[in-house]
Amino acid sequence: MSEQSLLQIRNLSIDFPSRAGTVHAVADVSWSVGRGETLAILGESGSGKSVSASAVLDLVDTPPAVIANGEILYRGRDLLKATRGERRAINGRKISMIFQDPLAALNPVYPVGWQIAETLRVHGVDKATAHARVIDLLKKVGIDDPERRAKQYPHQFSGGQRQRIMIASAIALEPELLIADEPTSALDVTVQAQVLALLKELQAESGMGIVLITHDLAVVEKVADRVIVMQAGRVVEAGTATEIMNSPQHPYTRRLLDAMPGRHGFATELSASDGNVLLEVDKVSRIYGIEPGKIAEAGPKAIRAVDEASFTLRGGETLGIVGESGSGKSTLARMLLGLDHPTAGTIRFDGKDLNGMSAADTFKVRRRMQFVFQDPTASLNPRMTIEQIVSEPWAIHSDVLPKREWRAKAVDLLERVGLKADHIDRHPHQFSGGQRQRIAIARALALQPEVIVCDEAVSALDVSIQAQVIDLLKQLRSDLGLSYIFIAHDLALVRDFATDVIVMYRGQIVEQGHTQEVYSNPKHDYTKRLLIASMAHIPKAA
Amino acid sequence: MHSSTPASGITEMAPPLIVPVKSSGRGAARNALWLLWQDKSAFVSAILLALVLGAAIIGPWLLADQARAVNLMARNAAPFSLSKGWLFFLGADALGRSLLARIIVASQNTIVIAGSAVLLSMHVGGVLGLIAGYKEGWIGAILLRMADAIMSFPSMLLAVIVLFVFSPGIENVIFVLAVSRIPIFLRTVRAEVLEIKERMFVTAARAMGAKTERVLFRHIAPMVMPTVINLAALEVAFVMLVESGLSFLGIGIQPPEVTWGLMVADGRNYLGSAWWLSFWPGVAIMMVTIALNLLSNWLRLVTDPVERWRFQTVAGAK
Amino acid sequence: MGSFICKRSFQSLISLIVLVMLVFFLARLTGSPADLYLPQDASAAVRHDFNEQMGFNDPLYVQFVGFMVGLLHLDMGQSLQFSRPALDVVLQAFPTTLMLAAVTMPLVLLISIVTGSLAAYKPGGIFDRLASFISLLGAATPNFWVAIVGVLVFAVTLRLLPTSGTGTPLHWVLPVAVLTLRPTGVLVQVVRTSMMTALSAAYIKTARAKGVSSRAIVFVHALRNGLLPVITVASDQAAGIVNGAVIVETVFGFPGIGKLMIDSVLLRDFTVIQAAVLVTALAVFVINILVDITYALVDPRIRYN
Amino acid sequence: MKFWKSITVALATSIALPAGMAMAQGKTSVTIVLPAGPDRLDPCETPRSVIGRIIKQNVVETLAELDYEKRTVLPRLAESWEQTSPTEWIFKLKKGVKFHDGAPFDAKSVIYSVERTVDPKLTCITRTKYFDGTNVTATEVDANTVKFTTKTPVPILPTLLAQMAISSPNTPKGEYTNKPIGTGPYKFDRWTQGENVVLVRDDTYWGAKPMIDKATYVWRSESSVAAAMVETGEADLAFTIAPQDATNKKTDKVYPNSDSAMFRLSVDVPPLNDVRVRKAINLAIDRKAFLGSIISDKAEIAMQQVGPSVLGFNPNLKPWKFDPEQAKALLKQAKADGVDVDREIRMIGRPGMFANSNEFVEATAEMLRQVGLKIKLDNLEMSQWLQMANKPFAADRQPNIFLTMHDNNSGDAAFTAFFKYHTDGRQSELHDPELDALIVQAGTEQGDKRAATYQEVFRRIYEDKVADVPLFHMVNYMRVGKRLDFSPTIANAVELQLAKLALK
C-alpha cells in the first residue's frame, strides 16, 4: 500500500507549548491515502484530526505550534523538509483543501469566479484559459448560469452552492489529493447528501485521493473506504469503513457510534396531551417588507418567512420543529421569544395574546418561557464569568432572587446540568462546546420556566455531546416537568426526544403530528426526502 | 452590516483550553501585576505612567516655586550641566526657569486637560455611539448628522471661536477639545455596535427580557471597550498636540498655568538657538503617548478573557 | 447609487444649514469688529458710522435674514479685511488646501497600508515593533515642531529644500512631509489592527491552501477586507486637512484656507468665516459621500444591500 | 490600481524636476519677507504698516515726507508750502509728474485724493486716525497750487499730509481699491492673495532712478522661517525677526520701531489709586534685566510714551531704579494706612504684542509677586484686549496692570498726549483738570513752545502722578541679505523705500 500511496504521514507529532504545559495536539500519528481512495479521519473537536491534515498544506502556524516529530511524505518526498516556495507549488495544484464553513472560507469581497480562477493563475494558467476553465468548473459542480454567477460574490449564494464553489476551486487543477475538512457539517441534511455525492462523482472521474475529516459517522459511512479514529491527538482505531461501522473495537469508537442520533426508540415514554395548553400559535405569518396588519397588501414579491403557521404546545410536551435553512423555523422561534412580531395571527401564552400585552406582562411571560440557542459560543457573552451569565436572569427579573443568594443558586444550577461548582468563576471560552451548552441550559433554568425553546440547541455539537445534552434535557423534563420547543434541521435528532413534530418547508407547516406517526408514515414529499437524507445511515440493526 | 466574525469552525486551531490563571491564593491586584510583568513593554509603560501620575499629583506641590522662579541670568541655560543644580539638568527656559521643574509641574495640567478631554469625549461619544448604533432609526440618523456637522466644523476654528467667546481657561480648553473629538468616538463605537448587536448573546439578553440599557451597557459596551480604550490612548496624544497647537496660535492655556503643549509651543521660537526648550516637553508628550498605547494594547488583551491565554504561552521555544 | 447620493445630499444639506446658522451666531458672539478696523483713538462718531455702514447696528435677526437671503443668491457678503466678496477670498485659498490634502492623503495611505500590513503579517516581530514605535512617535510629535526643525535642517543647514512658500514641487516636500506625519502614525496603528483581524480569517487559510503567495495573501486577500476601518479613519484625517492645515500653512506661508479662517476670526471677518466654513463643510460632506461609495466598491456585501 | 500609478508618476515627476528654487532672482530684483501679508492695498490705508511698508513712497507718494532724525517735514510731491492763516495752507506742487496710468499729477488730482480719503463711505485709516474732526478741504488755486482749509487751526497740517497718499484720479471713489496707482518710483504689478505682491520699477519716474527694478513681497509669520529665508538666499530682506533669531551680526540690523511699551495702571481702582503702590510697581520691575535677554539690548528704557524722535519728548526724566526693598517698604506703608495691597490685580497682556511679550509679562508678573503683590496674569486676544483698552471702562473692573504699546510715528506728541492722558482721551485713565488744560494748550502751540509744553505734560505724568509704568522704546531686527547695502532707521517702522536699497 505504501508503494502507491500518494501521501503518507509518519509518526507526526505537533505540540502547542503553553505555560500550563505542552499540549500534544497531534501525537505520533500515522496515516496514508492512495489514489482513488477515500480516507476518513473521524474524531471530535480537539481530537487533532484537522491539525494533522492542515500540516500537510503548511497551514499550521509555527509558532505557536511546534512540529515536534515525524514526516509528511508526498510521493515519497518529505514536505516538512521542502521550502515554502516548493510547498506553495504543491498546494492547490497537487493537494488541495476545502473547509467546513464555505461562507467564511471564501473571501467575501471577491467574485467567486475570480477566486476559482486564482487557483489556476497562481499556478501559471493564463487569464483567458483560467476564465474558460472557471465556467467549466462551475458547470461541473452544478451551478446554473455559470457565466453570470461567476461574477457574483459569496454572500449571494446558498450554503450548498458555496461549498460547491469551494470544491470547484479545489479541483480546478485536478489535484491528486483533496483534503476535505468537515465539508458538510455546516450544511442542511439534504444538501449534505448532494455535496458528498458530488465529491464521490469527481473522485470517480479523476481518481483523486480524498482525505475526509469529519465528526459525523453518517458521512463516514456514505463515502469512506478506510477510517482512522482519533481521540486526544492519537489514532485509537483504524480500519475499513465497514469494519469500523459494524464492529468497532475501541470503546471510544463504540461510544461515538452509540451516540448517533436516531439509534434509539421514539420518545414514547411521555404521553403528549395530558397537560393544559401553554402556548397557542394561531395562523401566524411573518411577511417581510410590509407593515403589520396590512397583510392583504402583500404582493408576490413579499417574502413570506412564516406563512399561517398554527400549533399548540401543552404542558410536558416536547414539540420538535424540523426544517432546513430558510424554512421559517428560526423566524418562528424569534416570534415566540418576542424578538420579532407576527405580521398576522396570534401567539397566545397561557391564553393571553403576546402581541397585545403590556410591556410589564410580556416581561412576566418571559420568565415562564426561556430558550437555548444554537451556538453556545456566540450566545454566551465572552466577557462575563459563568456566575454572571447564569445569574443574569435574576439581574433582569430583579424580584426573583435576592442578590446574596445568586452565587449559591448558580452553583446549584451548574451542578444540576452536570458542571462543577468551581467552574463558576471561569469564562465561557474555557469550556468545550457541550459544556457551554450546559451553561446556557443552566441559565435557561434560572427562572424556573415552564417552556424552554431550543433553537438548534445541539446542532453545533459533536455527536456524542449531542446525545449527552439531549439526555440532560430529557432528565430535566422528567425532573421539572418542562415543556420544550425543539427546533432542528435534522429529523434524526428529534426522533427520540420530541413527542410531537412539525415539519416546515418554505415558511409553511407541511406536516405535523405525533413523532412516531410522522416518522413511520410521512405524508408530504418533503418530509420523505428529509427522512431519506437524514435517516438512511441508521444501521438496520438498531 | 459588514461583520466578519471569525469562523467558529476553526476552533481546533485555537490553543487548547487551559486551566484558568486564577488561583485563590493570589489577589486580583497581584494577578494583574503578574500579567503586567508578562508584557515587558507594558510593564515599563505602566511604571512610566505611574511616575508621570505621581509627578502630576505631588509635582506642583513640591516644585511650584522652582518652576516659577524667573532668573533672567540663567536664560536658555544649556542642558546636561549640573552647575546650576540638578533642577537645571535639562536646561532652563527663556526666563531662566528650570525645565525639569516646569515639566514636572506642567504634567498636572497636561494630564488633567488631556485626561478629562478624552474621558469626556469618550463617554459622551461612546454613549451616543452606542445609541446611534443600537437604534438605527431617526435617532441614529440625527446623531450621525450631528457628528457630521461637528466634524465638518474645522476644529481649530471652533476652538478659536469658543475660546474667544469664553476665556481660554482650563475648563474651556477641555470643553473645546472634548467636543471636537466626540464624533470620532461616536462613529467608531457605532460601527462596532452595528456588528455586535447582531451577535447571539445580545439576542439572548433581549429574549431574557433585558431592557435596552442593560443590553447596551452590560453586554455591548464591554465588547466595544477595547477598541474605545485603544482609540482613547491615541486620542490622548492628539489632544495634547491640539492643545499645543492652540498655544501655538496663542489661544491655549495661558501662563502662569503651564502644560507641555504650551512649553513646546513657546519653545518653538528658540528652536534655532535653544532646542531644549521645546524638545523636552515634546519628549514627555511622546513618551506618555507611546506608554499609553503600549499599555492599552496590553489592556486590550488582558481584559479579553479569550485573549488572556497569550500571556500564558511560553514565548518562543525556550 | 443615484438615489443614495440624493438621500445623503439631502441629509447633508440639513447638517449644512445647521452648521451655517451655528457659525453665524457663534462668530458674532466673539465681539464687534469695529475696534479692530479703526485706529485706537478713533472717535465715537467714526465708530458709529463704521458699524452703521457694515450693518452691525442692525438687530441680529435682521443681519441673519440678510445673510440667508444673500446665501440663496450665493452672495456671502463682502469681506471686512479684504473688501472683496468673501466667497472669492475663500475660493482663492481653498485650492491650495485641497491640493495639500490631495497630495498628502494618498501618501499617507500608501505608507501606512504597506507598513501596517507588513507589521500585521508578523505581529510581535521586529518590524512590527519598530513600525509601531515609529508610527506612535509620528502620531505624538507636534506638527509645528517638525515643521520648524525641518526648515532648519533641510533648508538652512543642508540647503536641499526651499524654506517655505509655493512655486516648484520642491516647495511642497516639507509641508507635505509634515502633514503626512501624524495621520500616517495613526493610520499605521489602524491598518495593523484591522489587518490582523483580516489575516486571521478563514479565507486566508483557503488562499494558503491554494498556494497563493504571502504577498498576495496580505495585499490582495486580507487588505481589501481590512480596508473599511482604514477608510473611516483616513476620511477623518482627510477632513482634518481639508478643514485647514493651519499650522503648516502658517509656518510655510501656504496660502490655504486654515490660516485664512483663523486670521478671519482674529479680525472678526464674519463673512469670510461663514464662507470658509460653508466651503470646507461642503468638501467634507463630499468626502463623506465618497467614503460611502468607496465602502460599497470595496465591500460587495454593502453594495448589494 | 490606476490611481496608484498616477500618484507614482506624479511623485516621480516632482522629484525629477530640477531644483528650481526661488533663489533665481534677477540681479537687480529683491524679495522682501514681511511678518504679515496685506489685506488690501488701498492708498488711503498707508498709515497701517502692513500696507504702508509695501506701497508708501514706493507706489504712492505723499505731498510731504517726515524726516525722523531732524524731526522735520520735507517736501516730496509738494515743492513748498506756507501757512496763510491759522486755518489755511497753500501748497505748491511739483510739475511734470505723472501717475503710472498716465494721468497728470496736478491740483485736481490732489483734490480728488483728499476727497477720496476723507470720504465717510470708506473707513480709511488716514481719515479716521489723522483727519477726523479737522474737516480738511482742498481747493484749486491754479493747476499746480492747492489751498487746504481746516475748521480749527491745525498747526501740524504738513505732518498730517505726510500720511496722506496721493493716488491717481482714476482710483474709484467710495470703494476700496487693491490696485494702487500713484506717482512713485515703482508700479504695482500684481498681488496673489496669500502668496506675494510684486512691484516693478517705473522708468518714467520723476525722481532719481532706483537700482532695484523689481520687488517681490512675501510674508511669513514665523520669525525663524523669515530669518532662514534670508540666510538661504531665498529672500533679501526680512522686515522683522525676533531677537533670538537675530544671531548673525553681519546681516541682522536693529532699528527703533517708534513703539513704546508701557503698563497702564487703573489709577482709580484700589489699591492702584494709592501713589505708593504705583511707585512700588515701578520700583519692583527690573527693566534692565530684560535688555539683552528677552528684549533686545538695543531697546531703550522709557520714561514716557513717546520716543526721542517725537516732538515733545522729554530728555530730562530719570529712569526708575530697580529696588524691590523700597517697593516692599512702600507697600508696607500703604498697607499700614489701610490700603488693600493684598487685593488681586490683573495683569493683562496680549500674545504677540511684541517679540517675546508673553515671556515678558510672565517675568514681570513674577517680579511683582516677589514684592508681595497678588498678580493674576491674563493674556487677551486682540479684540478682547481692545475692549479693555478703550473707554468706557467696566464699572466693576478689577485693578489692572495693562500692557499697551503705543506707536507715534507721526513725529508729534499730539497723537499721544490727548488720547492717552486727557480726561476725554479714549484710553486715558486720568482726569486731572490741570493736566487736561496743559495738553489742550500744547496742541495749539508751535515750535519750541509746543515741545516744551508737551515735555511738561510728560514730566507731570511721570514724576507727579506716577500714572503708569513706562517700559521700553522698542527696536526691531531686520535681516538684510548679503547682496543688499542697507541700514534700517526708525522710518522703516511704517515704510520701506525701495529706492533707498542699494546693491553691493
Side-chain angles (χ1 to χ4, degrees), chain B residues 79-80 267 270-280, chain C residues 145:
Chain B
F80 310 124
Y270 301 92
L271 272 173
S273 45
W275 53 268
W276 49 93
L277 262 62
S278 68
F279 182 76
W280 296 122
Chain C
W145 197 85

Side-chain angles (χ1 to χ4, degrees), chain C residues 189-214:
Chain C
Q189 303 284 317
V190 176
V191 172
R192 178 179 173 273
T193 315
S194 106
M195 283 297 278
M196 272 169 68
T197 313
L199 279 168
S200 65
Y203 52 79
I204 296 299
K205 200 159 275 184
T206 310
R208 282 168 70 183
K210 283 180 185 176
V212 177
S213 70
S214 307

Side-chain angles (χ1 to χ4, degrees), chain A residues 37-59:
Chain A
E37 190 186 28
T38 303
L39 169 77
I41 304 180
L42 185 65
E44 302 193 328
S45 316
S47 64
K49 59 186 193 299
S50 284
V51 183
S52 62
S54 298
V56 174
L57 287 164
D58 193 21
L59 298 182

Side-chain angles (χ1 to χ4, degrees), chain A residues 87-139:
Chain A
R87 299 194 71 169
R88 268 209 298 274
I90 292 171
N91 285 7
R93 184 193 196 109
K94 299 293 181 194
I95 308 174
S96 61
M97 187 160 179
I98 58 177
F99 298 90
Q100 171 174 20
D101 181 355
L103 180 59
L106 286 167
N107 196 326
V109 298
Y110 291 102
V112 296
W114 183 92
Q115 297 192 51
I116 299 170
E118 189 188 26
T119 315
L120 297 160
R121 280 187 290 104
V122 295
H123 294 288
V125 178
D126 68 86
K127 225 173 170 179
T129 321
H131 179 72
R133 182 93 178 97
V134 166
I135 307 300
D136 283 352
L137 282 164
L138 283 175
K139 231 180 265 168

